[in-house]
Amino acid sequence: MYVKIKNFILELFFPSFCLNCQKLGHLLCKNCYNDLKFYFSQNKIQEIKSNLKVIYFDDLQIMAKFEGSLAKLIKALKYQDSKNIAPLLSKMLWRHLIVPQVDFITFIPLHPYKLRARGYNQCQEIALEFGRLANTPVKNLLERTKNIKAQAKIKNQQERLQRMQNTFQIRSKYKDLIKNKTIILIDDVLTTGATLNAASKTLKDSGAKAIFGLIVASKNE
Ligand SMILES: [Zn+2]
């Protein structure tokens, strides 16, 4: 009861509005939702094959193109301290992708410096709600081994791919857990696929049976 009243008061004074067009109501209004360019569960591995020498994940689904209202939502989630956007993106993923049954759900980790600055990992937030919807445990399996230049600042694709190698390692407490497991790996934005591939390689090297990449948005066509 108390929570209900508190939520009501919060909504009264801080109502939600569409982050794209400011319309009062939901974080994403119907019009702006209809603007999204969904990919409808196509397997997108072919499209990034030319970027990667070896592909370590088994399937790749991307929800929609990184543009317009979806790009705004993701940027707000990452840079404007808007954690409340994550469950909305999780529900959209759940609704728009064909979700395989797996042993675990995991996500691309942030470097600890970034995590401290941001206060949360947006991919973890998306994964947590997604795990509730899929009724599957979410595990923080991976960690970054070293800081790398922000992706956006690296223009040279070769440099980006090289830096990506050995970026991730399995958290020591999960080392024995991964063998023969099937895992969904969640990331928010895909560009070359190098990040997803490096994380998948780390999981496969530890004996993971299959990795299914689920991505919210792609910067490619
Ligand atoms: Zn709107």
Side-chain angles (χ1 to χ4, degrees):
M1 192 62 190
Y2 173 71
V3 173
K4 268 190 183 170
I5 292 168
K6 202 175 141 198
N7 284 345
F8 174 72
I9 291 170
L10 274 176
E11 290 215 349
L12 204 60
F13 291 105
F14 304 102
S16 294
F17 54 90
C18 175
L19 279 160
N20 193 45
C21 72
Q22 321 298 322
K23 191 181 160 195
L24 206 65
H26 301 288
L27 287 172
L28 185 64
C29 78
K30 206 177 160 203
N31 277 344
C32 295
Y33 179 80
N34 287 337
D35 258 6
L36 264 62
K37 190 183 166 195
F38 287 107
Y39 293 135
F40 298 107
S41 301
Q42 305 161 31
N43 189 330
K44 305 291 274 184
I45 286 185
Q46 286 302 331
E47 289 182 30
I48 57 162
K49 250 187 175 163
S50 57
N51 297 327
L52 308 166
K53 279 189 191 135
V54 186
I55 291 178
Y56 294 97
F57 43 84
D58 300 82
D59 184 62
L60 172 64
Q61 289 183 63
I62 303 166
M63 187 182 77
K65 189 167 167 52
F66 183 85
E67 64 177 15
S69 49
L70 183 61
K72 270 194 188 171
L73 284 176
I74 293 171
K75 283 180 192 163
L77 173 64
K78 283 168 93 159
Y79 306 118
Q80 291 163 23
D81 199 22
S82 302
K83 206 163 128 178
N84 59 331
I85 291 166
L88 171 68
L89 296 178
S90 319
K91 282 179 194 123
M92 285 164 71
L93 276 183
W94 177 248
R95 202 173 288 175
H96 286 277
L97 300 182
I98 297 168
V99 181
Q101 269 207 328
V102 292
D103 297 302
F104 302 122
I105 293 168
T106 194
F107 49 87
I108 300 293
L110 280 183
H111 190 276
Y113 298 149
K114 268 195 186 173
L115 186 61
R116 261 199 300 275
R118 196 170 291 170
Y120 58 88
N121 174 354
Q122 73 282 355
C123 295
Q124 182 169 20
E125 296 300 318
I126 294 168
L128 285 172
E129 176 67 17
F130 191 82
R132 276 190 282 272
L133 294 166
N135 200 17
T136 304
V138 178
K139 303 253 185 234
N140 193 359
L141 300 177
L142 295 162
E143 61 188 353
R144 298 247 177 195
T145 47
K146 61 187 173 190
N147 202 2
I148 52 157
K149 248 199 286 183
Q151 281 273 313
K153 286 184 189 148
I154 302 172
K155 295 281 178 272
N156 180 313
Q157 200 181 75
Q158 211 49 41
E159 188 191 352
R160 184 184 295 221
L161 294 180
Q162 258 171 17
R163 276 171 176 274
M164 269 301 152
Q165 302 219 322
N166 309 318
T167 301
F168 303 104
Q169 63 190 24
I170 308 287
R171 280 174 197 277
S172 50
K173 67 169 173 177
Y174 294 128
K175 283 226 163 90
D176 301 325
L177 193 76
I178 291 168
K179 209 171 176 354
N180 287 323
K181 295 295 193 298
T182 52
I183 300 168
I184 283 177
L185 178 57
I186 289 181
D187 199 3
D188 52 355
V189 180
L190 183 124
T191 46
T192 59
T195 308
L196 188 80
N197 207 36
S200 302
K201 180 180 188 301
T202 303
L203 292 166
K204 281 278 175 80
D205 286 349
S206 287
K209 192 165 138 194
I211 309 294
F212 304 96
L214 299 188
I215 313 284
V216 180
S218 168
K219 291 193 173 174
N220 307 312
E221 268 317 301

